Amino acid sequence: MKIPTLSGVRGCVQITVRGEGINRLINALAEAGIPVWDIRPASNNQTADMKLLLRDFHALRPLLKRTGCRMHVARRIGLPFRLAKLYKRKFFAAGIGAFFLLLFVLSSLVWNINVVGNEKIPTEDILKAAKEEGVRPYQWIFRLKEPDKLSRALSLKLPETSWIGVERKGTTITIQVVEAEKPEKEPLASPRHLVSKSDAVITSIYAEQGRPLVQKNTRVKKGQVLISGILGDGEARSQVVVAKGEVKGLVWHEYQLEVPLVQKRKIYTGERKDKSYLVLGNRAIQLWGYGKEPFAKSETLTERDPLTWRSIALPIGWMTEKVMEVTETQETLQPEEAKKLGLEAAIRDILAKYGNDSQIISQKILHEKRENGKVYMKVLFEVEEKIAEELPIVQSQGE
Amino acid sequence: MTRISRRLRKWTNEVLDLPQDVLLDLPRITLVGNKELTVENHQGVRHFSENKMILSLNQGVLEIEGAELMIRAILPQEVMIEGIIRNIKYTGMGESS
């Protein structure tokens, strides 16, 4: 009773029938079991429109002949006709097909491999190991193994890692690496003695490795061996090691100090004038900050800011000059203050030269005089400091 | 159909209380509003135009008058007519066949 299903897919035609015996044709069609539908008589009663399946079109011809009707096809509906139309435009259809095929092919390739989280292991090594497992750019995604299998294989190949994760997102593969913690290697050292840096009196000696040759309160000369790197009797059964340890001793430093009583000091007032230049090669073109400098005394601070491209400095850049006003103040010190300043400077110098853990045991002013507006002093400092110094043991080749 | 078989059918119909169209080959006509008319058990289209349709039945003729009439679908036993239906005339031919 109903209109045949999927008539759009199977294809149907709308025909216009002309003739006297349209009702006989309809009866004949119904008797033959050919489904026809939407039979619409035209207002002049001579013609009628009807639809039937493409499949039944050839069976229609003998019925038309028998009933004396004529027909022509008014409309072609459905997929078969569309396909035929598309077949006429083969290359267009092929293009559509090729586009989707290309899209599919390109999206099933691995395009990027990112390695995340490695610090000590070079990325190249990880990529090389991944390549051996088949993870490389331009590889088919469907040829890759499962991510968990991949990560297990990779962590077997890279023993320095404690965990490796492989994740695929689209066409990008991310290899996440967690490196195994390993104790840091000590720098290699050749066999050595520890010798004294200067004349001193030992206050403490602690040998971690090697044979201590001196004791506390021993007076040592510069270059004397404190901890020996040769174990044993020095004969056939001796062994050479890297001497390690800490030796502290009292050392005397003599300082000649001179402190001027009148101290000159420069102070920025905060007034400033900026000049801006455009730098082209070796030339600078001043763009801003023309005019006379209003300051009596000034200091100029120059900042260069060249254009850079990937750490290459280009010959074009910007330069700013900050002209800052300066006032000079004079301060006259009391001799006591000058002495204190001089001693502080000397102590700072000692700490900087002989190590921060040096301790000033005593200080003695040997000589002091005032002359030409300056205080001259000769000071002797007694300092406890590290005196050990490394001396490599030269292996004498036996004759 | 012979007299005896017809009487037998009539009797079974009465006894078993079956619908008439099943046994007696009568048309079943369904009308939906004035828009759609379904005739089962028809015997073909006799006249066919926009304003008038005549269907042959087993006994007699069914005349349908209206406007913009069309056959929505047609099968050997069934026909469905759509349009604006104004007048349906059933012309029976009695018991003769």
Side-chain angles (χ1 to χ4, degrees), chain A residues 1 23 27 30 37-39, chain B residues 45-46 71-72 75-76 78:
Chain A
M1 180 69 229
N23 58 332
N27 289 339
W37 65 96
D38 286 2
I39 306 167
Chain B
V45 183
R46 199 172 276 186
I71 299 175
R72 184 85 186 132
L75 286 171
E78 244 177 297

Side-chain angles (χ1 to χ4, degrees), chain A residues 131-150:
Chain A
K131 198 174 176 180
E132 284 167 20
E133 286 300 317
V135 182
R136 60 180 170 81
Y138 315 120
Q139 166 78 287
W140 296 106
I141 282 168
F142 53 79
R143 286 182 68 183
L144 295 178
K145 288 183 221 157
E146 294 292 311
D148 56 332
K149 279 182 191 165
L150 273 179

Side-chain angles (χ1 to χ4, degrees), chain A residues 1-3 22-23 26-27 30-31 36-43 45 48, chain B residues 38 44-50 69-76 78-80:
Chain A
M1 180 69 229
K2 299 289 165 282
I3 298 163
I22 291 174
N23 58 332
I26 294 166
N27 289 339
E31 251 166 64
V36 282
W37 65 96
D38 286 2
I39 306 167
R40 194 186 293 271
S43 36
N45 289 336
Chain B
T38 309
V45 183
R46 199 172 276 186
H47 178 83
F48 173 62
S49 74
E50 212 181 2
L69 294 177
M70 65 177 283
I71 299 175
R72 184 85 186 132
I74 184 163
L75 286 171
E78 244 177 297
V79 64
M80 187 193 243

Side-chain angles (χ1 to χ4, degrees), chain B residues 40-94:
Chain B
E40 290 167 54
N41 253 335
H42 70 99
Q43 295 291 318
V45 183
R46 199 172 276 186
H47 178 83
F48 173 62
S49 74
E50 212 181 2
N51 305 322
K52 191 173 183 181
M53 277 196 197
I54 303 173
L55 298 178
S56 314
L57 298 176
N58 207 7
Q59 293 166 8
V61 173
L62 187 71
E63 269 186 55
I64 302 134
E65 280 172 34
E68 295 167 33
L69 294 177
M70 65 177 283
I71 299 175
R72 184 85 186 132
I74 184 163
L75 286 171
Q77 296 295 312
E78 244 177 297
V79 64
M80 187 193 243
I81 294 166
E82 270 184 24
I84 299 159
I85 297 159
R86 296 213 177 94
N87 202 357
I88 301 172
K89 195 156 83 186
Y90 192 111
T91 316
M93 301 234 174

Side-chain angles (χ1 to χ4, degrees), chain A residues 10-17 25 29 34-37 50-65 70-76 81:
Chain A
R10 291 153 81 186
C12 63
V13 283
Q14 185 180 354
I15 55 174
T16 307
V17 182
L25 175 68
L29 282 168
I34 297 172
V36 282
W37 65 96
M50 60 185 77
K51 284 180 185 164
L52 77 162
L53 282 178
L54 184 62
R55 190 189 62 190
D56 302 323
F57 189 68
H58 292 287
L60 183 69
R61 196 160 292 273
L63 298 179
L64 282 169
K65 231 170 211 177
R70 290 164 174 277
M71 67 100 191
H72 71 262
V73 176
R75 210 146 66 90
R76 299 172 171 88
F81 298 108

Side-chain angles (χ1 to χ4, degrees), chain B residues 1 9 12-13 18-26:
Chain B
M1 270 192 264
R9 280 179 187 227
T12 38
N13 189 18
L18 285 171
Q20 298 257 327
D21 60 320
V22 176
L23 287 168
L24 298 178
D25 214 13
L26 293 175

